[in-house]
């Protein structure tokens, strides 16, 4: 099979399209012939050596959709040729509140989806949503699971509530916007790009502000009032300002730190306004199934920014590095 292999850290050009042995399914596994894979910022961080316990060479990629190529011993409920999508949350563990010691995300240390074939546990393979093409299906797993747990499980967003999603344009933030809208919330967004704010409005956001404006919290409050919920993946200096924005009894859910560490934090509004700060990472198999049900029931389609051939993985990663995309970047595997 062909695969995109990372053999050294540092530059995106270190990814190479190479021949690798075809995987064979072990007991309880299936081999999926991938038709599409999607990128995540996780792939960039790994390529720069900014991820724990990375071993090289590696085939990255957490998101994928395709067809069942072969079944390992003991696998039931799946058939060869079936259209499927892969849940990248491996070995979550028995406690739905928190991942266990064996938890890991597909694509490191296990070989990932930047390949023509992949062997994965059968429990991580589910039927592709009906009517959805492979590119759309591949755009959902990691971002969709993360957004679903943040919006539904952790924030418990209710109809009529006001939700702020920061950093719109990223795949997870965009799906968080779509999920919150599907639940009947009023959603507002932030971005450093006016074009991305306009795209968010076209998806259904009530409005948005640029976080490049030093007075963005005041402008957001004029538009939205005090939000009930903030969904944040940036951290950094804006984190404390999001806490200040929340109405009494509000919730802030965080799943990332793309803007770096929080430089300072005033605990007064946290206890005086009876706020909840909630952290989340990925999710359980039950949440993955519920997320796909929501997607299918509400006719949600992920926003795909651009699709590249697998052989152009370097160009796809460079496009992500430039941070100009709105939605997910996908690779077609042919």
């Amino acid at each position: 099979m062909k695969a995109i292999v990372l053999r050294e850290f540092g530059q995106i050009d270190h990814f190479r399209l190479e021949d690798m042995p075809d995987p064979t399914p072990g007991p309880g596994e299936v081999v999926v012939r991938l038709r599409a894979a999607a990128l995540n910022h996780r792939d960039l961080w790994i390529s720069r050596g900014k991820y724990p316990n990375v071993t090289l060479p590696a085939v990255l990629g957490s998101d994928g959709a395709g067809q069942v190529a072969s079944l390992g011993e003991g696998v039931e409920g799946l058939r060869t040729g079936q259209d499927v999508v892969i849940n990248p949350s491996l070995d979550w563990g028995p406690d739905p509140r928190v991942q266990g010691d064996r938890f890991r995300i597909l694509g490191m240390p296990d070989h990932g989806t930047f390949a023509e074939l992949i062997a994965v546990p059968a429990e991580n393979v589910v039927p592709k949503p009906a009517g959805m093409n492979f590119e759309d299906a591949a755009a959902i797993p990691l971002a969709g699971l993360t957004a679903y747990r943040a919006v539904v499980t952790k924030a418990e967003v209710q109809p009529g509530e006001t939700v702020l999603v920061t950093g719109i344009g990223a795949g997870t933030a965009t799906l968080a916007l779509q999920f919150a809208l599907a639940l009947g919330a009023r959603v507002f967004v932030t971005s450093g790009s006016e074009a991305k704010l306009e795209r968010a409005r076209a998806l259904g956001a009530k409005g948005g502000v640029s976080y490049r404006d030093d007075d963005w919290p005041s402008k957001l409050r004029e538009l939205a009032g005090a939000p009930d919920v903030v969904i944040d993946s940036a951290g950094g200096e804006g984190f404390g300002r999001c806490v200040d924005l929340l109405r009494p009894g509000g919730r802030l859910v965080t799943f990332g730190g793309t803007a770096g560490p929080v430089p300072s934090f005033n605990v007064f509004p946290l206890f005086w306004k009876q706020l909840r700060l909630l952290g989340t990472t990925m999710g359980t198999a039950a949440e993955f199934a519920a997320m796909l049900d929501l997607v299918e029931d509400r006719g949600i389609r992920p926003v795909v920014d651009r699709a590249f051939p697998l052989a152009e993985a370097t160009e796809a990663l460079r496009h992500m590095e430039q941070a100009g995309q709105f939605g997910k970047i996908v690779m077609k595997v042919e």
Side-chain angles (χ1 to χ4, degrees):
M1 70 170 186
K2 298 288 187 183
I4 302 297
V5 182
L6 176 67
R7 293 196 174 274
E8 57 182 304
F9 297 125
Q11 302 296 323
I12 291 175
D13 291 341
H14 291 162
F15 286 93
R16 295 286 186 272
L17 183 67
E18 298 183 9
D19 289 310
M20 294 187 68
D22 289 355
T24 56
E29 291 185 334
V30 301
V31 169
V32 175
R33 183 172 299 281
L34 291 155
R35 299 301 186 187
L39 278 64
N40 293 283
H41 280 92
R42 178 178 188 266
D43 303 309
L44 283 178
W45 295 330
I46 291 173
S47 71
R48 294 166 181 160
K50 297 181 179 180
Y51 210 84
N53 304 317
V54 177
T55 57
L56 299 180
V59 177
L60 305 187
S62 303
D63 292 330
Q67 296 161 320
V68 175
S70 57
L71 306 173
E73 181 182 351
V75 174
E76 298 180 353
L78 293 167
R79 66 182 187 279
T80 56
Q82 185 175 2
D83 293 347
V84 295
V85 61
I86 299 170
N87 175 5
S89 186
L90 302 177
D91 286 329
W92 177 270
D95 189 346
R97 297 171 301 174
V98 63
Q99 65 271 28
D101 292 340
R102 296 181 59 198
F103 170 76
R104 60 204 186 278
I105 300 171
L106 186 66
M108 177 55 58
D110 306 71
H111 280 330
T113 57
F114 295 174
E116 293 177 329
L117 297 165
I118 186 172
V120 290
E123 63 189 14
N124 285 79
V125 175
V126 299
K128 179 173 68 65
M132 186 176 289
N133 63 36
F134 287 118
E135 289 81 7
D136 286 349
I140 290 175
L142 187 148
L145 180 56
T146 302
Y148 182 90
R149 185 173 172 90
V151 171
V152 179
T153 306
K154 294 283 189 170
E156 300 177 312
V157 168
Q158 301 299 309
E161 288 192 313
T162 299
V163 176
L164 170 63
V165 178
T166 67
I168 198 65
T172 307
T174 304
L175 280 165
L177 162 65
Q178 293 175 285
F179 292 166
L181 289 171
L183 295 175
R186 299 169 64 242
V187 187
F188 295 81
V189 298
T190 69
S191 174
S193 162
E194 290 297 330
K196 291 182 181 182
L197 293 175
E198 187 58 38
R199 290 285 302 275
R201 292 187 193 98
L203 283 175
K206 294 294 185 183
V209 297
S210 172
Y211 58 68
R212 300 188 189 281
D213 187 331
D214 288 340
D215 198 30
W216 72 262
S218 296
K219 293 187 175 181
L220 185 78
R221 192 179 290 276
E222 290 174 5
L223 280 175
D228 300 282
V229 173
V230 174
I231 306 295
D232 179 66
S233 61
E237 184 272 338
F239 187 85
R241 306 182 84 178
C242 288
V243 172
D244 291 339
L245 270 171
L246 281 166
R247 72 171 62 248
R251 296 91 75 195
L252 189 155
V253 182
T254 176
F255 56 85
T258 55
V262 177
S264 63
F265 190 79
N266 178 10
V267 299
F268 182 83
L270 178 62
F271 64 76
W272 187 249
K273 293 197 292 183
Q274 305 280 348
L275 303 179
R276 283 189 284 161
L277 297 186
L278 303 160
T280 188
T281 296
M282 296 293 284
T284 67
E287 287 168 321
F288 190 79
M291 179 270 294
L292 290 181
D293 286 343
L294 178 65
V295 165
E296 196 159 14
D297 291 347
R298 304 299 175 89
I300 296 170
R301 290 294 179 267
V303 178
V304 174
D305 175 82
R306 188 173 169 186
F308 293 79
L310 179 66
E312 296 179 10
T314 297
E315 289 76 10
L317 286 156
R318 187 170 289 113
H319 183 57
M320 171 172 280
E321 187 177 43
Q322 293 167 352
Q325 80 275 7
F326 190 96
K328 295 288 289 186
I329 300 169
V330 173
M331 293 190 296
K332 296 181 287 186
V333 186
E334 299 174 349

